[in-house]
Short mmCIF file of all heavy atoms in Angstrom, two decimals:
data_model
loop_
_atom_site.label_atom_id
_atom_site.label_comp_id
_atom_site.label_asym_id
_atom_site.label_seq_id
_atom_site.Cartn_x
_atom_site.Cartn_y
_atom_site.Cartn_z
N THR A 95 -12.37 3.84 8.69
CA THR A 95 -13.43 3.55 7.72
C THR A 95 -14.36 2.48 8.26
O THR A 95 -15.59 2.59 8.17
CB THR A 95 -12.82 3.08 6.38
OG1 THR A 95 -11.92 4.08 5.91
CG2 THR A 95 -13.91 2.83 5.34
N MET A 96 -13.77 1.44 8.84
CA MET A 96 -14.58 0.35 9.41
C MET A 96 -15.37 0.85 10.63
O MET A 96 -16.52 0.47 10.82
CB MET A 96 -13.67 -0.81 9.82
CG MET A 96 -12.80 -1.35 8.69
SD MET A 96 -13.74 -1.85 7.23
CE MET A 96 -14.63 -3.27 7.86
N ALA A 97 -14.76 1.71 11.43
CA ALA A 97 -15.47 2.28 12.59
C ALA A 97 -16.64 3.14 12.14
O ALA A 97 -17.72 3.13 12.75
CB ALA A 97 -14.50 3.09 13.44
N THR A 98 -16.43 3.87 11.05
CA THR A 98 -17.51 4.71 10.50
C THR A 98 -18.65 3.84 9.99
O THR A 98 -19.83 4.18 10.15
CB THR A 98 -16.98 5.58 9.35
OG1 THR A 98 -15.89 6.36 9.84
CG2 THR A 98 -18.07 6.53 8.83
N LEU A 99 -18.32 2.70 9.37
CA LEU A 99 -19.35 1.77 8.91
C LEU A 99 -20.22 1.31 10.07
O LEU A 99 -21.45 1.31 9.98
CB LEU A 99 -18.69 0.56 8.23
CG LEU A 99 -19.62 -0.62 7.90
CD1 LEU A 99 -20.67 -0.20 6.88
CD2 LEU A 99 -18.83 -1.81 7.39
N ILE A 100 -19.57 0.93 11.17
CA ILE A 100 -20.32 0.48 12.35
C ILE A 100 -21.20 1.61 12.88
O ILE A 100 -22.37 1.40 13.24
CB ILE A 100 -19.35 -0.01 13.44
CG1 ILE A 100 -18.59 -1.24 12.95
CG2 ILE A 100 -20.09 -0.32 14.74
CD1 ILE A 100 -17.45 -1.67 13.85
N ALA A 101 -20.66 2.82 12.91
CA ALA A 101 -21.42 3.98 13.40
C ALA A 101 -22.63 4.26 12.51
O ALA A 101 -23.72 4.57 13.01
CB ALA A 101 -20.51 5.21 13.46
N LEU A 102 -22.45 4.12 11.20
CA LEU A 102 -23.56 4.35 10.27
C LEU A 102 -24.64 3.28 10.41
O LEU A 102 -25.84 3.58 10.35
CB LEU A 102 -23.04 4.38 8.83
CG LEU A 102 -22.15 5.58 8.46
CD1 LEU A 102 -21.56 5.39 7.06
CD2 LEU A 102 -22.92 6.89 8.54
N VAL A 103 -24.22 2.04 10.62
CA VAL A 103 -25.17 0.94 10.81
C VAL A 103 -25.98 1.17 12.08
O VAL A 103 -27.19 0.93 12.13
CB VAL A 103 -24.44 -0.42 10.86
CG1 VAL A 103 -25.40 -1.52 11.31
CG2 VAL A 103 -23.86 -0.75 9.49
N LEU A 104 -25.30 1.63 13.13
CA LEU A 104 -25.97 1.88 14.42
C LEU A 104 -26.66 3.25 14.45
O LEU A 104 -27.21 3.64 15.49
CB LEU A 104 -24.94 1.80 15.55
CG LEU A 104 -24.26 0.43 15.76
CD1 LEU A 104 -23.21 0.52 16.85
CD2 LEU A 104 -25.30 -0.63 16.10
N LYS A 105 -26.59 3.98 13.32
CA LYS A 105 -27.19 5.30 13.19
C LYS A 105 -26.65 6.29 14.23
O LYS A 105 -27.37 7.10 14.81
CB LYS A 105 -28.72 5.20 13.30
CG LYS A 105 -29.34 4.40 12.16
CD LYS A 105 -30.85 4.37 12.25
CE LYS A 105 -31.44 3.60 11.08
NZ LYS A 105 -32.91 3.52 11.10
N ARG A 106 -25.33 6.16 14.47
CA ARG A 106 -24.66 7.07 15.40
C ARG A 106 -24.15 8.28 14.64
O ARG A 106 -23.72 8.19 13.51
CB ARG A 106 -23.50 6.33 16.07
CG ARG A 106 -22.65 7.19 16.97
CD ARG A 106 -21.54 6.37 17.62
NE ARG A 106 -20.49 7.24 18.14
CZ ARG A 106 -19.42 7.60 17.46
NH1 ARG A 106 -19.26 7.17 16.21
NH2 ARG A 106 -18.49 8.39 17.99
N ARG A 107 -24.17 9.44 15.27
CA ARG A 107 -23.71 10.67 14.64
C ARG A 107 -22.18 10.66 14.51
O ARG A 107 -21.48 10.27 15.44
CB ARG A 107 -24.15 11.88 15.47
CG ARG A 107 -23.90 13.22 14.78
CD ARG A 107 -24.44 14.34 15.64
NE ARG A 107 -23.70 14.46 16.88
CZ ARG A 107 -22.56 15.16 17.01
NH1 ARG A 107 -22.05 15.79 15.96
NH2 ARG A 107 -21.95 15.23 18.17
N ILE A 108 -21.68 11.08 13.35
CA ILE A 108 -20.24 11.17 13.13
C ILE A 108 -19.77 12.54 13.63
O ILE A 108 -20.15 13.57 13.07
CB ILE A 108 -19.88 11.00 11.63
CG1 ILE A 108 -20.55 9.75 11.06
CG2 ILE A 108 -18.37 10.95 11.45
CD1 ILE A 108 -20.14 8.46 11.73
N SER A 109 -18.97 12.54 14.69
CA SER A 109 -18.56 13.80 15.32
C SER A 109 -17.53 14.54 14.47
O SER A 109 -16.98 14.00 13.51
CB SER A 109 -17.97 13.52 16.71
OG SER A 109 -16.75 12.81 16.57
N LEU A 110 -17.26 15.78 14.87
CA LEU A 110 -16.26 16.59 14.17
C LEU A 110 -14.88 15.96 14.29
O LEU A 110 -14.12 15.93 13.31
CB LEU A 110 -16.24 18.01 14.76
CG LEU A 110 -15.19 18.97 14.18
CD1 LEU A 110 -15.43 19.20 12.69
CD2 LEU A 110 -15.20 20.30 14.93
N LYS A 111 -14.54 15.42 15.47
CA LYS A 111 -13.24 14.77 15.65
C LYS A 111 -13.12 13.55 14.74
O LYS A 111 -12.06 13.30 14.15
CB LYS A 111 -13.04 14.37 17.11
CG LYS A 111 -11.66 13.78 17.39
CD LYS A 111 -11.45 13.54 18.86
CE LYS A 111 -10.08 12.94 19.12
NZ LYS A 111 -8.97 13.81 18.75
N ASP A 112 -14.22 12.79 14.64
CA ASP A 112 -14.22 11.63 13.73
C ASP A 112 -13.94 12.07 12.30
O ASP A 112 -13.19 11.41 11.57
CB ASP A 112 -15.57 10.90 13.79
CG ASP A 112 -15.81 10.24 15.14
OD1 ASP A 112 -14.82 9.95 15.82
OD2 ASP A 112 -16.99 10.04 15.50
N ARG A 113 -14.56 13.15 11.90
CA ARG A 113 -14.37 13.65 10.53
C ARG A 113 -12.93 14.13 10.30
O ARG A 113 -12.38 13.94 9.22
CB ARG A 113 -15.35 14.80 10.25
CG ARG A 113 -16.81 14.35 10.19
CD ARG A 113 -17.77 15.52 10.13
NE ARG A 113 -19.14 15.11 10.35
CZ ARG A 113 -19.99 14.75 9.37
NH1 ARG A 113 -19.59 14.79 8.11
NH2 ARG A 113 -21.21 14.36 9.65
N LEU A 114 -12.34 14.74 11.32
CA LEU A 114 -10.94 15.18 11.21
C LEU A 114 -10.01 13.99 11.05
O LEU A 114 -9.06 14.02 10.25
CB LEU A 114 -10.55 16.00 12.44
CG LEU A 114 -11.09 17.43 12.52
CD1 LEU A 114 -10.85 18.01 13.90
CD2 LEU A 114 -10.44 18.30 11.45
N ILE A 115 -10.28 12.93 11.80
CA ILE A 115 -9.45 11.72 11.71
C ILE A 115 -9.64 11.05 10.36
O ILE A 115 -8.68 10.57 9.74
CB ILE A 115 -9.78 10.75 12.87
CG1 ILE A 115 -9.44 11.40 14.21
CG2 ILE A 115 -9.01 9.44 12.72
CD1 ILE A 115 -9.95 10.65 15.40
N LEU A 116 -10.88 11.01 9.89
CA LEU A 116 -11.15 10.44 8.57
C LEU A 116 -10.45 11.24 7.47
O LEU A 116 -9.92 10.67 6.51
CB LEU A 116 -12.67 10.42 8.31
CG LEU A 116 -13.46 9.33 9.03
CD1 LEU A 116 -14.95 9.60 8.89
CD2 LEU A 116 -13.12 7.95 8.49
N GLN A 117 -10.45 12.56 7.64
CA GLN A 117 -9.76 13.42 6.67
C GLN A 117 -8.27 13.09 6.61
O GLN A 117 -7.67 12.99 5.54
CB GLN A 117 -9.95 14.89 7.06
CG GLN A 117 -9.23 15.87 6.13
CD GLN A 117 -9.28 17.30 6.66
OE1 GLN A 117 -10.10 17.62 7.52
NE2 GLN A 117 -8.41 18.14 6.16
N GLU A 118 -7.67 12.87 7.78
CA GLU A 118 -6.25 12.51 7.85
C GLU A 118 -6.01 11.12 7.27
O GLU A 118 -5.07 10.88 6.53
CB GLU A 118 -5.79 12.56 9.32
CG GLU A 118 -4.33 12.21 9.53
CD GLU A 118 -3.38 13.30 9.11
OE1 GLU A 118 -3.79 14.47 9.07
OE2 GLU A 118 -2.22 12.98 8.80
N ALA A 119 -6.91 10.18 7.62
CA ALA A 119 -6.75 8.80 7.16
C ALA A 119 -6.90 8.67 5.66
O ALA A 119 -6.19 7.88 5.02
CB ALA A 119 -7.78 7.90 7.86
N MET A 120 -7.81 9.44 5.06
CA MET A 120 -8.05 9.36 3.62
C MET A 120 -7.18 10.34 2.84
O MET A 120 -7.32 10.46 1.63
CB MET A 120 -9.53 9.65 3.33
CG MET A 120 -10.51 8.65 3.95
SD MET A 120 -10.23 6.96 3.43
CE MET A 120 -10.71 7.05 1.71
N ASN A 121 -6.31 11.06 3.57
CA ASN A 121 -5.38 12.00 2.93
C ASN A 121 -6.11 13.08 2.14
O ASN A 121 -5.72 13.45 1.04
CB ASN A 121 -4.41 11.24 2.02
CG ASN A 121 -3.13 12.00 1.78
OD1 ASN A 121 -2.84 12.96 2.49
ND2 ASN A 121 -2.37 11.60 0.78
N GLN A 122 -7.19 13.60 2.74
CA GLN A 122 -8.00 14.63 2.09
C GLN A 122 -7.58 16.02 2.54
O GLN A 122 -7.03 16.20 3.63
CB GLN A 122 -9.48 14.42 2.42
CG GLN A 122 -10.07 13.14 1.84
CD GLN A 122 -10.16 13.20 0.34
OE1 GLN A 122 -10.99 13.88 -0.24
NE2 GLN A 122 -9.26 12.47 -0.31
N THR A 123 -7.85 17.02 1.73
CA THR A 123 -7.51 18.40 2.06
C THR A 123 -8.67 19.11 2.77
O THR A 123 -8.48 20.19 3.32
CB THR A 123 -7.14 19.18 0.79
OG1 THR A 123 -8.22 19.09 -0.15
CG2 THR A 123 -5.87 18.61 0.16
N ALA A 124 -9.86 18.52 2.72
CA ALA A 124 -11.03 19.14 3.37
C ALA A 124 -11.96 18.07 3.91
O ALA A 124 -11.92 16.91 3.48
CB ALA A 124 -11.78 20.02 2.36
N MET A 125 -12.80 18.47 4.89
CA MET A 125 -13.75 17.52 5.49
C MET A 125 -15.03 17.38 4.68
O MET A 125 -15.82 16.47 4.90
CB MET A 125 -14.10 17.96 6.91
CG MET A 125 -13.01 17.71 7.93
SD MET A 125 -13.62 18.01 9.59
CE MET A 125 -13.99 19.77 9.51
N GLU A 126 -15.26 18.29 3.77
CA GLU A 126 -16.51 18.30 3.02
C GLU A 126 -16.72 16.99 2.26
O GLU A 126 -15.86 16.54 1.51
CB GLU A 126 -16.49 19.46 2.02
CG GLU A 126 -17.81 19.63 1.27
CD GLU A 126 -17.75 20.75 0.25
OE1 GLU A 126 -16.70 21.44 0.19
OE2 GLU A 126 -18.72 20.93 -0.47
N GLY A 127 -17.85 16.34 2.49
CA GLY A 127 -18.20 15.12 1.79
C GLY A 127 -17.43 13.89 2.22
O GLY A 127 -17.47 12.86 1.54
#
Side-chain angles (χ1 to χ4, degrees):
T95 303
M96 304 305 292
T98 304
L99 170 64
I100 296 170
L102 292 173
V103 170
L104 297 177
K105 296 183 178 180
R106 175 179 162 268
R107 189 177 66 85
I108 310 299
S109 67
L110 177 62
K111 184 174 179 63
D112 293 335
R113 292 171 192 269
L114 285 169
I115 297 170
L116 284 169
Q117 178 188 342
E118 180 75 23
M120 298 302 292
N121 203 14
Q122 294 292 287
T123 56
M125 285 190 296
E126 185 182 356

